[in-house]
Amino acid sequence: MPARPPHADLLVIGGGPAGCAAVRMAAGLGMRTVLVEPDRLCRNLWRIPALNNVLGGHTGGPELADAITAEIEGTELCRLELGRYVSGLRAHDDHVAVTLDTGARLTAPYAVVATGVGPLQPRDAAWITAPDGLTLPPLRQAEADDAEGRVLLVLGGDRPIGTFLRAHPDTGTRLLVAYPAADAYKTEEIREDPRVTLLAVEHLTLGPTGSAEAVGPDGERWAVAADAAYLSLGSAPAAPPGDLVRGPDGYCAPADQHPRVLVAGDLRSARYQRIMTALGSGGEAALHAYYAGRDLLGSG
């Protein structure tokens, strides 16, 4: 055992749907938790204007985020470490140790890692050339008032575009969606929306304030003019440094990890990135820690 008593029965790293579900399941089992989150709880949910794949009658991300936040803040067995991030994670034979950015060290018999994913930036896409250091916000952060009557260049054709359009059915925004030929299948759900202009490109060179030069599959070049640029390129796993086994794609498959490190939510795989699967995996991870701590895993 660690030299000092553990700070909790379970450490939870990441305060999204998976991490919050782990906290609630653990509380129902009488387990003490510490939840570490560098931002606010459910930070990405607040930015999703429309939902169509969750139970409970929640139709918007902020509504669901508010309900989850209230649940966690009312959980007496959970200690919140908000505004903190994990700078190191070490898995030992009998415990997990986590170091925070403040230098503080937390220990528990098990840890659930649910840090999810972050948006890919232009520098991560081989078909985009961008100025050094350029970062752009994901489309989900575009507010209706900011977008109204404007032309937005969207890099990539991933699902958040359809979510944005459904959430703002009456907006006068025009979206110029640039994507490589290999991603054409991703644009099926938005092809018929009159607010969308699809730009199949071989390469895109970004300039200032949303302008760009495009090269088409046939080598034709043309200028793209927009009021602002946003991302819909997909996401990259955001695993904390330390004892996590990462696959070639950067994701952390649960089966590959140390027995005391449990991975939940979007960090597991690119295939199951949905709110419902995140919630379920977080609860399952906490239940696994409960059973493992009582040597009940093999008894059904």
Side-chain angles (χ1 to χ4, degrees):
M1 292 295 294
R4 296 181 179 180
H7 295 86
D9 301 309
L10 183 67
L11 299 177
V12 180
I13 306 170
C20 289
V23 165
R24 288 299 293 140
M25 176 63 76
L29 298 167
M31 301 172 71
R32 296 173 300 120
T33 59
V34 177
L35 173 60
V36 182
E37 165 56 48
D39 202 325
R40 64 195 297 191
L41 293 176
C42 295
R43 63 185 183 278
N44 288 331
L45 276 183
W46 296 98
R47 301 163 181 158
I48 300 177
L51 299 175
N52 61 357
N53 63 348
V54 296
L55 296 173
H58 300 291
T59 58
E63 180 188 358
L64 178 57
D66 190 58
I68 292 176
T69 298
E71 287 265 2
I72 299 304
E73 291 179 343
T75 302
E76 295 182 358
L77 291 176
C78 177
R79 169 182 145 197
L80 292 174
E81 288 284 350
L82 300 181
R84 304 298 182 202
Y85 66 86
V86 170
S87 60
L89 181 151
R90 292 289 176 261
H92 302 274
D93 289 342
D94 57 358
H95 71 284
V96 178
V98 163
T99 303
L100 303 185
D101 56 307
T102 60
R105 186 172 179 269
L106 303 174
T107 61
Y110 295 89
V112 173
V113 183
T115 46
V117 295
L120 289 169
Q121 289 293 329
R123 61 180 175 271
D124 300 314
W127 57 278
I128 298 174
T129 297
D132 290 343
L134 175 69
T135 60
L136 296 174
L139 182 61
R140 65 172 177 265
Q141 292 185 17
E143 300 290 342
D145 291 344
D146 297 333
E148 179 62 38
R150 306 179 77 202
V151 177
L152 306 183
L153 172 61
V154 182
L155 306 182
D158 274 24
R159 291 184 68 252
I161 300 176
T163 300
F164 176 86
L165 293 170
R166 287 192 299 272
H168 308 296
D170 300 320
T171 183
T173 305
R174 181 183 172 205
L175 302 184
L176 306 179
V177 179
Y179 63 95
D183 289 348
Y185 72 95
K186 297 180 179 180
T187 65
E188 289 298 328
E189 73 166 312
I190 61 174
R191 284 184 177 276
E192 303 303 320
D193 195 302
R195 296 168 291 176
V196 173
T197 299
L198 296 175
L199 306 175
V201 302
E202 184 73 21
H203 197 83
L204 194 77
T205 301
L206 287 174
T209 63
S211 64
E213 181 182 79
V215 179
D218 57 359
E220 179 187 0
R221 295 176 178 268
W222 70 91
V224 179
D227 297 308
Y230 288 88
L231 299 172
S232 190
L233 292 170
S235 301
D243 293 341
L244 281 167
V245 179
R246 297 160 176 80
D249 58 0
Y251 286 93
C252 302
D256 295 340
Q257 308 306 317
H258 188 283
R260 292 188 177 273
V261 177
L262 310 167
V263 176
D266 290 356
L267 187 60
R268 299 171 299 159
S269 166
R271 292 193 169 194
Y272 303 108
Q273 292 183 0
R274 298 291 187 273
I275 295 169
M276 288 285 281
T277 58
L279 290 166
S281 71
E284 182 180 1
L287 195 60
H288 182 101
Y290 174 81
Y291 287 143
R294 288 155 180 77
D295 294 324
L296 297 175
L297 286 179
S299 64

